[in-house]
Amino acid sequence: MRFASIGSGSRGNGTLVQADDTLLLVDCGFALKETIARLARLGVEPQQLSAILVTHEHGDHCSGVRVLANRYQLPVYMTAGTARSKALVDVAQMNIIDSYSSFSVNEVIVQPVAVPHDAAEPVQFVFHWQARCLGILTDIGTITPFVKQYYQACDALLLESNHCLDMLARSDYPSSLKLRVSGRFGHLSNAQAADLLEDIDLARLQHLVIAHLSEKNNTLERVQKSMEKVIQNVSNVLFACQEQGFDWLSVNQSVGYVVSHMSRDVA
Ligand SMILES: [Zn+2]
Ligand SMILES: [Zn+2]
């Protein structure tokens, strides 16, 4: 299994997930020409896509979905709430998913996870394929116990660390926007992302990709500082950027942990 990004941030998102011949695009917030160019950088042509999965109807995630899907006759999966968006009503091959029920695209099992975010019926996704587990978690205002449960023990995790609260407070954003971004239904701050990483099991984590960074209210240094204690033991930590996304990362099967038992017969 492997994954890559065609771009991450408030000006457009798109994540590729591939397992054998199944190639999924999670969200598409770029115009058609731009999407094709960004896919090409990763060696992908749109007709190779098996399906598009949409997390929610915000423009940075869905603005390119309808045109891409209809042009290349791709099936699209989203919740009923997301499907009500004007930008998505004309999607030809619409598949409505339940926020709480897993579904599969070929051999890949997809678990939607309902998240607190200011959209109609937003979800994020955890992918399972042959004992590998990849979690994608962005556009979430609060980490709930429910969410935490689904992101335990991933082999790879793409996680939002949107803003530094201090930078956001000092920014020139109007106060309504500051409240929206930092609110229960907004985006994860660096501190919230670090808290999640402290609470979940990182033993299996091969790649941690920090994503959906605010270009105005965050810096790589601030993210690193917030997370320095928690990410020491993660083998590969990298940042997804707005322009380049990130290149393919392989997710390998974790080596099982051998538990040795002391023999009770030993005196
Ligand atoms: Zn977003
Ligand atoms: Zn959003």
Side-chain angles (χ1 to χ4, degrees):
M1 188 186 220
R2 62 180 193 159
F3 69 118
S5 163
I6 61 169
S8 174
S10 58
R11 290 189 287 114
N13 294 275
T15 310
L16 287 164
V17 178
Q18 183 170 29
D20 276 348
D21 294 337
T22 304
L23 180 57
L24 308 174
L25 177 62
V26 181
D27 292 331
C28 184
F30 302 100
L32 185 63
K33 208 174 145 195
E34 180 75 20
T35 301
I36 293 170
R38 285 172 180 253
L39 288 171
R41 289 200 306 236
L42 294 162
V44 170
E45 292 183 14
Q47 47 270 48
Q48 291 175 266
L49 293 170
S50 312
I52 304 175
L53 279 56
V54 184
T55 58
H56 65 298
E57 72 277 20
H58 288 161
D60 57 323
H61 298 265
C62 89
S63 64
V65 170
R66 181 177 54 83
V67 174
L68 179 68
N70 290 355
R71 172 74 60 94
Y72 294 97
Q73 294 156 25
L74 304 172
V76 187
Y77 295 79
M78 67 187 80
T79 63
T82 301
R84 284 200 298 271
S85 163
K86 262 192 194 152
L88 296 163
V89 282
D90 294 326
V91 167
Q93 292 189 49
M94 176 73 84
N95 295 269
I96 299 296
I97 57 166
D98 182 279
S99 304
Y100 297 93
S101 306
S102 62
F103 61 98
S104 50
V105 182
N106 305 329
E107 305 294 305
V108 179
I109 297 162
V110 187
Q111 176 65 59
V113 182
V115 291
H117 189 56
D118 54 358
E121 195 183 356
V123 290
Q124 292 294 314
F125 296 112
V126 178
F127 298 88
H128 296 274
W129 179 78
Q130 293 193 357
R132 294 153 178 87
C133 172
L134 160 67
I136 293 181
L137 186 61
T138 71
D139 297 74
I140 171 167
T142 318
I143 298 290
T144 61
F146 176 80
V147 169
K148 219 176 281 177
Q149 182 187 321
Y150 282 99
Y151 289 85
Q152 284 292 347
C154 289
D155 296 302
L157 175 62
L158 184 149
L159 176 65
E160 171 170 62
S161 195
N162 178 259
H163 57 275
C164 161
L165 265 183
D166 293 340
M167 285 181 75
L168 178 66
R170 289 199 308 269
S171 76
D172 58 3
Y173 278 18
S175 56
S176 58
L177 186 54
K178 287 180 185 176
L179 285 173
R180 196 227 130 204
V181 170
S182 63
R184 268 183 54 70
F185 296 90
H187 291 274
L188 276 198
S189 68
N190 296 342
Q192 286 174 298
D195 282 350
L196 171 68
L197 292 171
E198 259 184 74
D199 286 349
I200 59 177
D201 181 3
L202 303 180
R204 278 172 59 173
L205 198 63
Q206 296 160 33
H207 308 290
L208 171 65
V209 182
I210 308 296
H212 215 303
L213 271 85
S214 165
E215 291 174 297
K216 284 192 173 161
N217 300 314
N218 214 350
T219 63
L220 302 190
E221 292 70 31
R222 282 181 186 249
V223 178
Q224 275 161 337
K225 197 158 178 9
S226 309
M227 296 186 180
E228 69 193 347
K229 281 197 209 110
V230 265
I231 58 179
Q232 281 164 357
N233 299 323
V234 180
S235 51
N236 186 27
V237 181
L238 69 154
F239 292 90
C241 78
Q242 181 69 78
E243 292 311 322
Q244 299 298 321
F246 59 88
D247 204 353
W248 289 107
L249 295 171
S250 292
V251 184
N252 302 313
Q253 190 169 349
S254 295
V255 182
Y257 296 98
V258 180
V259 181
S260 58
H261 296 283
M262 296 268 288
S263 166
R264 294 192 180 168
D265 298 333
V266 175

